[in-house]
């Protein structure tokens, strides 16, 4: 029994209503010490680096490389960690390159503890972040207010990201 959940997936939970919040754009990040000259590397060079894996997204690296039209034999090898926070820590400590949505590591990027290893981001075509509310609780006043606020904030964030993306070219 739950009141609401923020969930990453396909929003197909029986007995719930799903409210789209955002997509997930996975981008390779690492310690600046792993990048020669401190600059992002080509995807071929990235394929030779240790690839940190997230256990809940076992095909993430394969999908990232596939989205560039590249097949990498070792795309599913490397240490497996459970959470993005664990991946960020491992990447920060020079253990390899991790695929993480930049919105989850804004502080680490701003402080230079992590850097973008390659500019390409992979966006799942079938999954995203959703607010899930059981059908029997959708009309609860507190949840309605929370849902309206969260959906509005997510829309504002998405629009801000789109403006920034358009400005970059």
């Amino acid at each position: 029994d739950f009141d609401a959940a923020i969930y990453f997936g396909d929003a197909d939970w029986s007995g719930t209503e799903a409210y789209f919040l955002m997509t997930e754009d996975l981008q390779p990040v690492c310690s600046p010490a792993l990048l020669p000259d401190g600059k992002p590397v080509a995807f071929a060079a990235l394929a030779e680096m240790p690839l940190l894996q997230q256990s809940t997204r076992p095909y993430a690296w394969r999908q990232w490389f596939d989205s560039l039209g590249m097949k990498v034999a070792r795309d599913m090898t490397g240490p497996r960690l459970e959470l993005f926070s664990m991946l960020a820590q491992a990447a920060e400590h020079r253990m390899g390159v991790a695929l993480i949505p930049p919105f989850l590591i804004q502080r680490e990027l701003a402080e230079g503890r992590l850097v973008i290893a390659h500019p390409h981001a992979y966006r799942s075509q079938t999954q995203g972040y959703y607010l899930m509310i059981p059908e029997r609780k959708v009309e609860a006043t507190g949840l309605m207010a929370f849902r309206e606020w969260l959906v509005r904030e997510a829309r504002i964030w998405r629009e801000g990201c789109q403006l920034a993306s358009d400005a970059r070219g």
Side-chain angles (χ1 to χ4, degrees):
D1 191 38
F2 66 98
D3 293 322
I6 296 176
Y7 169 74
F8 176 78
D10 60 10
D12 188 22
W13 272 12
S14 179
T16 65
E17 287 194 16
Y19 302 89
F20 177 73
L21 300 175
M22 67 182 79
T23 58
E24 179 177 80
D25 297 331
L26 295 174
Q27 199 157 19
V29 298
C30 65
S31 165
L34 293 183
L35 297 182
D37 304 321
K39 297 178 182 172
V41 296
F43 58 82
L46 190 68
E48 297 302 317
M49 297 172 79
L51 303 176
L52 300 172
Q53 309 282 338
Q54 187 183 34
S55 57
T56 61
R57 289 166 180 75
Y59 299 102
W61 276 109
R62 177 162 292 167
Q63 293 165 335
W64 189 86
F65 285 117
D66 281 350
S67 70
L68 289 165
M70 187 175 173
K71 300 291 182 209
V72 174
R74 49 182 295 284
D75 60 3
M76 293 183 67
T77 64
R80 293 195 180 281
L81 302 161
E82 184 71 20
L83 305 172
F84 281 126
S85 59
M86 295 170 152
L87 285 173
Q89 285 290 308
E92 190 175 329
H93 292 284
R94 303 176 187 172
M95 292 178 63
V97 183
L99 284 175
I100 302 176
F103 76 86
L104 292 177
I105 52 169
Q106 290 177 357
R107 177 178 289 157
E108 292 88 341
L109 290 169
E111 293 174 356
R113 293 183 285 139
L114 290 175
V115 294
I116 302 296
H118 188 281
H120 178 70
Y122 170 74
R123 176 176 290 172
S124 171
Q125 301 302 309
T126 60
Q127 297 182 319
Y129 288 91
Y130 293 87
L131 172 65
M132 309 297 286
I133 300 177
E135 289 171 344
R136 68 185 183 286
K137 296 185 178 187
V138 168
E139 299 301 322
T141 305
L143 284 175
M144 286 173 52
F146 176 68
R147 177 190 70 218
E148 290 171 11
W149 171 80
L150 186 58
V151 168
R152 181 179 62 249
E153 290 298 313
R155 180 181 40 77
I156 291 168
W157 183 83
R158 288 190 316 267
E159 290 170 356
C161 288
Q162 183 60 47
L163 288 174
S165 176
D166 292 346
R168 285 191 300 269

